[in-house]
Amino acid sequence: MGLFGGQFANVVEWQEFRDDMLFWKWSNKEIKKGSRLIIRPGQDAIFLYNGKVEGIFRDEGSYDIESDIIPFLSTLKGFKFGFNSGIRAEVLFINTKEVLVKWGTKSPVLIPAPGLPGGMPIRSFGTFACKVADYDALIEKVAGIRQQFTVDEVKERITSMLDQLLMKWIAKEGRDMFNLQINAREIGLGIQEDLDMEMQKLGIGITSFAISSFNYPPEVQKMAEKAAAQSMIGDVGRFQQVSMGEAMTNGRGGGAAADMAGVAMGMAMGQQMAAQMNQNMAAQMNQSTAAQMNQNMTAQSTAPNFCPNCGTKTNGANFCPNCGQKLV
């Protein structure tokens, strides 16, 4: 990382630059006469003296510190180098790039769901992007006492907040608990806003937050897949009966929470099945009644009032009550 000292000029630079490091501090070294500052693409350099920001330099290039840097520093603009004198200053190198990070819940998040006192256990995975957004906040909260700060440390802070934020944004009124992916973008935007608000306190901005998948317990996932397949066939009523039986007899290996989730899903399907059956029965009864009425009306409209053979009154019968003559 560049060694400086003695009476020799030195090069102030971030030699071991890493994309997964948000800042690195060059410190406890004396900047000598003739020293140079090197800023590479994707970097900013902040001069600190006695813990205060003296100047921020953003353009990449190689600079003579005495002639190109010192004149622009707040307190040290009149500093004169001597043969044995130098500046004991710190230079904070900032990674200005936006960094994309993968995230995932460490354990299932119990999302409140009707009929499940313990909640529905759901895992989630995705990505977020972050970058340094506020130099003053970063120096005050982190860089003042740290030599470096990595993306893994940001990820650790983000992960510690995810469970509560997922519960908050998934449990919004009206969400379909068994089809959360349809609301993934809306949920992600809400979580990004909350995370950004918290991380800005450290000078870190969360520029995006995306949810790639929601994972349910195996039993619930299998039932959802079967429901999708059966809905394509159309025999939903029969599938609902079978699924309810499977949820009650084959819920093995997923734990109590998964079993309860399967039963709850079966109950929801059962309610839908009952409603569908009632509708079908009502429709069949209406069709049967209409057909009978049509038959009666047809019979009444075609049978004669008197038998054409013997003249006996028919009273709407299909055959004459006196001579047996067919009337319709």
Side-chain angles (χ1 to χ4, degrees):
M1 291 187 183
L3 299 176
F4 313 98
Q7 299 177 359
F8 301 102
N10 31 54
V11 178
V12 180
E13 62 179 329
W14 187 356
Q15 288 183 332
E16 298 180 4
F17 176 76
R18 290 164 36 187
D19 286 335
D20 66 338
M21 191 175 291
L22 295 180
F23 75 75
W24 177 81
K25 186 193 297 180
W26 180 91
S27 60
N28 296 324
K29 303 293 190 295
E30 189 176 25
I31 301 175
K32 292 290 188 176
K33 183 179 178 65
S35 298
R36 301 193 67 80
L37 169 69
I38 296 178
I39 303 176
R40 293 184 172 83
Q43 298 178 5
D44 284 353
I46 304 176
F47 268 74
L48 302 171
Y49 184 71
N50 290 334
K52 296 182 179 180
V53 175
E54 288 290 322
I56 301 176
F57 302 90
R58 305 177 188 276
D59 296 330
E60 61 183 89
S62 177
Y63 303 91
D64 180 271
I65 291 180
E66 183 176 13
S67 61
D68 299 330
I69 302 300
I70 294 295
F72 298 96
L73 301 182
S74 301
T75 305
L76 301 174
K77 61 178 57 178
F79 181 84
K80 299 297 182 181
F81 284 100
F83 182 75
N84 291 319
S85 64
I87 306 174
R88 282 203 170 275
E90 296 179 324
V91 181
L92 183 66
F93 287 94
I94 303 291
N95 181 356
T96 62
K97 299 177 181 179
E98 184 178 81
V99 183
L100 187 66
V101 186
K102 294 182 178 180
W103 63 267
T105 52
K106 292 182 178 180
S107 57
V109 180
L110 297 176
I111 305 299
L116 295 175
M120 170 77 76
I122 294 176
R123 290 180 179 270
S124 188
F125 301 88
T127 59
F128 71 86
C130 66
K131 66 179 300 183
V132 177
D134 187 333
Y135 290 172
D136 291 335
L138 183 72
I139 293 170
E140 179 183 358
K141 300 293 186 180
V142 185
I145 57 175
R146 299 287 299 274
Q147 181 72 21
Q148 61 189 34
F149 196 55
T150 65
V151 171
D152 283 342
E153 292 173 284
V154 174
K155 180 180 178 180
E156 185 176 349
R157 292 172 183 262
I158 295 294
T159 304
S160 68
M161 294 184 277
L162 269 183
D163 286 9
Q164 291 298 322
L165 292 179
L166 281 166
M167 290 178 63
K168 171 185 174 181
W169 288 98
I170 289 177
K172 288 285 186 180
E173 183 177 358
R175 297 212 195 284
D176 181 359
M177 190 60 61
F178 301 104
N179 190 19
L180 290 174
Q181 200 62 42
I182 196 172
N183 298 117
R185 184 175 182 277
E186 181 182 354
I187 295 171
L189 289 174
I191 293 176
Q192 177 194 343
E193 182 178 352
D194 286 349
L195 286 176
D196 185 65
M197 185 180 303
E198 287 298 317
M199 295 303 295
Q200 284 285 354
K201 298 175 183 178
L202 303 179
I204 307 297
I206 305 302
T207 56
S208 69
F209 188 92
I211 300 173
S212 58
S213 66
F214 291 100
N215 292 352
Y216 298 90
E219 290 78 6
V220 176
Q221 188 66 38
K222 290 177 181 178
M223 293 179 69
E225 292 172 357
K226 290 180 180 179
Q230 287 291 340
S231 64
M232 296 178 65
I233 300 173
D235 190 9
V236 180
R238 182 181 178 185
F239 165 72
Q240 289 169 340
Q241 292 176 320
V242 175
S243 297
M244 288 178 65
E246 289 181 346
M248 297 177 67
T249 59
N250 297 328
R252 298 187 296 269
D259 293 340
M260 293 179 66
V263 172
M265 190 174 187
M267 291 175 63
M269 290 181 174
Q271 292 172 356
Q272 182 180 354
M273 177 196 71
Q276 185 65 40
M277 291 177 61
N278 290 336
Q279 292 178 1
N280 293 340
M281 291 178 62
Q284 292 175 359
M285 291 178 64
N286 291 336
Q287 292 175 357
S288 177
T289 302
Q292 185 63 42
M293 292 177 64
N294 289 334
Q295 290 178 1
N296 293 339
M297 292 176 64
T298 300
Q300 292 176 1
S301 62
T302 56
N305 292 329
F306 297 93
C307 176
N309 184 44
C310 66
T312 302
K313 189 173 182 178
T314 63
N315 294 321
N318 292 333
F319 296 89
C320 176
N322 182 45
C323 66
Q325 173 69 32
K326 183 177 181 181
L327 303 176
V328 178

